[in-house]
Amino acid sequence: MEHIRTTKVEQVKLLDRFSTSNKSLTGTLYLTATHLLFIDTHQKETWILHHHIALVEKLALTTSGCPLVIQCKNFRIVHFIVPRERDCHDIYNSLLQLSKQAKYEDLYAFSYNPKQNDSERLQGWELIDLAEEYKRMGVPNSNWQLSDANREYKICETYPRELYVPRIASKPIIVGSSKFRSKGRFPVLSYYHHNKEAAICRCSQPLSGFSARCLEDEHLLQAISKANPVNRYMYVMDTRPKLNAMANRAAGKGYENEDNYSNIRFQFVGIENIHVMRSSLQKLLEVNGTKGLSVSDFYSGLESSGWLRHIKAVMDAAIFLAKAIMVENASVLVHCSDGWDRTSQVCSLGSLLLDSYYRTIKGFMVLIEKDWISFGHKFSERCGHLDGDPKEVSPVFTQFLECVWHLTEQFPQAFEFNEEFLLQIHEHIHSCQFGNFLGNCQKEREELKLKEKTYSLWPFLLDDQKKYLNPLYSSKSPKFSVLEPNTVSFNFKFWRNMYHQFDRTLHPRQSVFNIVMNMDEQNKQLEKDIKDLESKIKQCKNKQTDGILTKELLHSVHPESPTLKTSLCFKEQTLLPVNHALRTIEGSNPADNRYREYAEEFSKSEPGVVSLEYGVARMTC
Amino acid sequence: MEFLELIRTGPAQAKLLRGPEAPPLRGILCVTGHHLLLSPGPQGTSDLWLLLLHVAGAVSYDSGTITLRCKDLRVLQLDIEGVEATLDIARSIEALSSLESVITSFPFFYRPKGLRLGDAWHFHPPERYYKRVARETNAWRLSEVNEDFSLCPSYPRAVIVPRAVDDDALARCAGFRQGGRFPVLSYHHAPSGTVLLRSSQPLTGPQKRRCAEDEELLRSVLAGARPGAPGFILDTRSAQAAKQARVTGGGTEAKAAYPGWKRLHRPLERGRPLQESFVRLVEACGDLEKSMDGWLSQLEACRWLAHVKEALSTACLAAWGVEREEACVLVHGAEGTDSTLLVTSLAQLILDPLSRTMTGFQELVEREWIQAGHPFQLRCAHSAFSHARPKHEAPTFLLFLDCVWQLGHQFPLSLEFGEGLLLALFEHAYASPFGTFLCSSEKERCLCEVRTQTHSLWSGLNQPKVRRKLRNPLYVPSPLAIWPSVEPQSLQLWQGLFLRWIRPPEPSQVAWEKVWQRLASKEKTEDCEPTSKPQL
């Protein structure tokens, strides 16, 4: 490619991010069309996708070489020292070009080829079918119908083609309402609660200014409350802080005037805007990236970044929404300014609390497709896929994932998926490897012909499903049908495995989930062995009674039970996971992979004392 | 009974408020010499027995309500009929819960079924650990120089010392160390052939006194170890504080006097600041209405996690010295009964796989805390709810338990015991029907006949039914050292302790039970194998 001048630099040092004594690994740096690759002397590979790079910095030349710092969107930070300044400069320039593409067509997804044919690819795209999902919720029904008003994206460009609205809302009402809403995003159905017959609807702010009204919009809201046969009033949740909403009135926008709408209960919930969130995350990352961070700096930094306060605000809003439906049986209309950031957060989290389907692996994909992708959360702008306005970048979706993570911490049995699944999704909203998150709305995606030119992420995650299963999941438990999280402050914790996912030295050294998963597997295997053996015994006995028990038959039993043998190996190894002698014993190979991980964890534990190096250095000097 | 004059009340009608979810418990309230009993009557649910020892100093009461703050951080609220009765009950509880005398305390009256007096006391005598050391090296001997506790009142009757040093020399060393705590072996690390020692500060004083026997003792430590092993003295005070101690007769080892030994200073907080940190953390945890920012700033301001980080990293440093630098490490602060023990015991947990087992950990607590003379009677008298701010109170042992919990949190498979054991030790250290944590030293325990007149906590905990509950179902032994991360991002608030009575029962507990079930079913299926195999 034209941007790559140097493809290989030797003798490059990779500094340990948290080491105070500049501990480093030496290796070779390779630059490919899609990745930056570092291979150290132990042959350990570090792959960095160009699209993941958020920032490249070339620091002042030092005696050992030219430092190059790369910050990634998945919170990886690497610090290289390149011996020659010219090489460093070349790499720096190449990365600047490669990490910021001007056109969608240059993104990785358009060249990524996982060796699937066209029909497989199409099948992948059809895995998530939103029409099917609305059917599952119970729409269309006597109160809600599919509207074809936006079939050609004529009313709202950022909405999907297929929208569900109250049956009594006629097309002129919809068109009228859309003219009164910012970006034409009029109130539509996001989630329908079958038992309560109540709905979550979403829209953007009304163009009410100081006094404007719109009869069609008022009618549409009334139609939504009428579509709920149980409760005549509905909530209108403005997810912004009141002050922000009032400021918008001066610009001819604003919020609903309770006097103009019959039967609405208006509520502000105070989630801050994308700019506040962006700088909050920035501060958080600054704090936790500090070398030799003290406990008190960590907590005061965590506090002043406000990050956890914002997470709590989103969670509180979702709980308000879920309660309105569960306790009061009321429908709720949610909006913010444009209705694609905070609204997506609150609607999707609210649905997740209400409906256990969204807590399964497939259901969570559906939820993201519905409330985020199809309703026009601007993934490409928020994730900075292309070289664009940095003010449009904001970690709105990351916050959603973090809220879900907090729920998985509070309800470890309520989710089919584990933390790894959330991390993997986060990885791919930025990777541009799959087509799902490219573009800012459905219309744009269709124009890009993503379904023909790129692959969908979901089938790949489903194929790998085993990695993402939560061993503690209990799908049947009625306790977890509706989640009622407790948002007392001490329940909110720093999500280390997200913001330090590549800083392995900070992680717990052993994973409970893994061992429970393995235990389950062994269990299944053992049970299967028992069954096999029992059936063999039966066979033998039958033959015995027939009087034809031969030696051969007895022998045939043995060769056929290697499964038992390996499982016995498993058992021995469980007792001695890091005994090197045992790992070389012949026949124990199947277990090797499992324990290599542990041995690695142990060897990794050495840098864990990195923060002590100061003391150790003093010891030896 | 001798407590009769302190009990001012007969039975009264009372109601116990048990937090927002649970219905209140109504019944008849009685105060006995050692217990508070609330019985809902024969048809009702089970009775509430509260050991009065558990009540921390202050009982607050106003018209008809008594609030009991317990040492295990529980807060109970009792509504009692009649103002007179309320007052009487409150005064009785106050008087009975603040009895100072050791030999009238409940452990001397506690006679549980199924346990025999004196049963588990001899599980962990000094000889037992010495046997293990003797198998690994010949450089150490068990000295009974302190048999009558005359040399050092806070040491046990037998200690492990270098073979080359005779008892007379030890006596002179004791004279040179505060409280007579001369350097003794804490842990022998067989893989590196080096040792961890502990002592108190040397009494160098303003004149910079020296003691030939003390210098000889440390020299023979190095001589007995791997040839060429360096020595490190880890002082748990700052260099400044160690210097200042000279004014009051203390001090630290002079470089010139101890060739081969290098000194390191790692200041650890102790005493009053530690206690205040504990009190502030408990206060912060009690306020559920607090905003996110308020909570984080209080978590920071109380500094508890900073103390955890310091303790753990100092222990890591000591362990690193022993294992990676293959050096002998002597740990001491001033008296050598608080932060010194914190460091040596944690370092052993990091290095020694045996101390991570259920029995090994109990042995560690017994050897490095109880027999090593941590003054439990003074340090663990009041817990976090005391208005009096007693001078000697300090949660050093709790800090140790918290650090162990952090290790268990980072290495969920490496400790044979679970959080339950740590919680039990916390509870029993502050108030217990058992005698294990009574008194401040072996000498006092001898005088009070604790060993013959009370039951040992270990025999209580090692009953098969109890022991099973305290186990970590995921334990997998590993022969290696466990090096924890001490970054603030890796340390967490021990919610199971500090929020134990505050947060509603967590679904995560249910999840743990599920792990237990899995394990049980795994054991079951595994047990099936041998029965099906012979049939082949």
Side-chain angles (χ1 to χ4, degrees), chain A residues 288 293-296 298-300 302-303 308-309 312 410-413 471-474 479 486 488-490 492 494 496 500 505-506 508-510 512 515-516 519-520 522-523 526-527 530 537 554 557 568 571 574-575 577-578 598 602 605-606 608-609 611-612 615-616 618-620, chain B residues 232 262 264-265 285 288 290-293 295-297 299-300 305-306 309 313 316-317 320-321 324-325 409-414 474 476-481 483-490 495 499 502 504 507-508 510-511 514-515 518-519 521-522 525-526 528-529 532 535-536:
Chain A
N288 68 28
L293 183 66
S294 76
V295 173
S296 83
F298 174 64
Y299 280 101
S300 63
L302 201 55
E303 183 202 336
L308 288 178
R309 190 181 53 198
K312 178 170 150 63
Q410 263 196 56
F411 303 97
Q413 290 183 275
L472 299 178
Y473 179 50
S474 78
K479 255 190 309 188
N486 184 345
V488 62
S489 298
F490 52 64
F492 291 88
F494 173 69
R496 178 188 51 216
H500 287 298
T505 53
L506 300 186
R509 305 299 203 256
Q510 297 158 331
V512 174
I515 196 125
V516 175
M519 231 150 70
D520 271 6
Q522 289 175 37
N523 239 353
L526 288 171
E527 270 163 18
I530 291 173
I537 291 167
L554 261 177
V557 174
L568 280 175
K571 195 177 146 196
T574 322
L575 294 172
V578 281
Y598 288 128
F602 275 112
S605 60
E606 285 182 35
V609 222
S611 56
L612 298 167
V616 174
R618 284 206 340 205
M619 264 178 137
T620 44
Chain B
F232 292 104
K262 278 171 205 149
L264 290 169
H265 292 275
C285 290
L288 297 178
K290 199 163 284 145
S291 72
M292 200 68 234
D293 290 2
W295 162 249
L296 289 173
S297 84
L299 200 56
E300 185 232 319
L305 284 170
K309 178 180 154 81
S313 49
C316 284
L317 183 64
W320 183 280
R324 298 296 161 101
E325 307 284 323
H409 185 75
Q410 292 191 25
F411 297 89
L413 316 182
S414 294
L474 301 174
V476 179
S478 122
L480 300 176
W483 299 105
S485 159
V486 293
E487 299 296 333
Q489 293 97 318
S490 311
Q495 298 213 352
L499 302 173
I502 293 156
S508 62
V510 186
K514 197 158 174 184
V515 173
R518 301 283 174 99
L519 196 84
S521 76
K522 178 173 176 252
T525 35
E526 279 180 354
C528 282
E529 287 166 16
S532 59
Q535 288 174 13
L536 276 172

Side-chain angles (χ1 to χ4, degrees), chain B residues 125-127 130 141-149 155-161 182 184 371 442:
Chain B
E127 287 81 4
Y130 176 68
R141 67 185 181 95
L142 191 71
S143 163
E144 299 202 341
V145 65
N146 198 37
E147 188 156 27
D148 53 356
F149 305 109
Y155 270 170
R157 53 186 173 69
V159 288
I160 305 171
V161 294
F182 53 89
V184 294
Q371 293 177 15
E442 286 296 282

Side-chain angles (χ1 to χ4, degrees), chain B residues 255-501:
Chain B
K255 225 182 215 165
Y258 297 88
W261 290 86
K262 278 171 205 149
R263 220 171 57 223
L264 290 169
H265 292 275
R266 290 283 302 199
L268 289 183
E269 207 67 85
R270 62 202 86 201
R272 180 65 66 81
L274 204 56
Q275 174 67 10
E276 261 160 33
S277 168
F278 177 37
V279 171
R280 290 179 73 176
L281 176 58
V282 170
E283 265 171 27
C285 290
D287 185 356
L288 297 178
E289 302 302 313
K290 199 163 284 145
S291 72
M292 200 68 234
D293 290 2
W295 162 249
L296 289 173
S297 84
Q298 276 198 299
L299 200 56
E300 185 232 319
C302 79
R303 297 191 42 76
W304 181 260
L305 284 170
H307 299 317
V308 170
K309 178 180 154 81
E310 285 312 309
L312 264 181
S313 49
T314 310
C316 284
L317 183 64
W320 183 280
V322 171
E323 165 151 310
R324 298 296 161 101
E325 307 284 323
E326 302 193 327
C328 295
V329 178
L330 165 66
V331 184
H332 73 70
E335 292 168 331
T337 53
D338 292 280
S339 43
T340 305
L341 306 181
L342 187 63
V343 173
T344 56
S345 54
L346 283 174
Q348 287 180 54
L349 212 58
I350 291 167
L351 292 176
D352 181 12
L354 280 181
S355 70
R356 291 176 229 138
T357 62
M358 181 80 92
T359 319
F361 185 68
Q362 292 177 6
E363 196 251 20
L364 184 75
V365 170
E366 177 77 30
R367 183 165 51 85
E368 285 296 290
W369 288 89
I370 297 168
Q371 293 177 15
H374 178 66
F376 280 99
Q377 192 78 18
L378 297 172
R379 300 285 186 262
C380 303
H382 299 274
S383 186
F385 292 124
S386 170
H387 290 309
R389 312 238 146 180
K391 199 175 155 208
H392 298 293
E393 183 82 15
T396 322
F397 186 63
L398 172 61
L399 186 59
F400 164 71
L401 295 176
D402 197 333
C403 292
V404 178
W405 180 83
Q406 305 283 352
L407 281 173
H409 185 75
Q410 292 191 25
F411 297 89
L413 316 182
S414 294
L415 303 182
E416 193 188 4
F417 47 92
E419 188 181 35
L421 178 64
L422 301 176
L423 289 174
L425 288 178
F426 163 69
E427 238 178 79
H428 287 284
Y430 279 90
S432 169
F434 296 98
T436 299
F437 288 107
L438 284 182
C439 303
S440 288
S441 65
E442 286 296 282
K443 184 183 178 187
E444 285 177 28
R445 264 168 227 128
C446 243
L447 288 174
C448 297
E449 297 180 310
V450 169
R451 305 236 145 156
T452 48
Q453 297 302 313
T454 72
H455 282 282
S456 156
L457 174 63
W458 310 129
S459 58
L461 294 183
N462 288 333
Q463 296 173 83
K465 240 164 112 191
V466 186
R467 193 179 162 101
R468 191 178 153 73
K469 269 192 215 145
L470 301 176
R471 260 178 58 199
N472 171 10
L474 301 174
Y475 175 61
V476 179
S478 122
L480 300 176
I482 51 172
W483 299 105
S485 159
V486 293
E487 299 296 333
Q489 293 97 318
S490 311
L491 301 176
Q492 290 200 344
L493 178 71
W494 186 5
Q495 298 213 352
L497 184 116
F498 293 106
L499 302 173
R500 185 177 177 190
W501 310 104

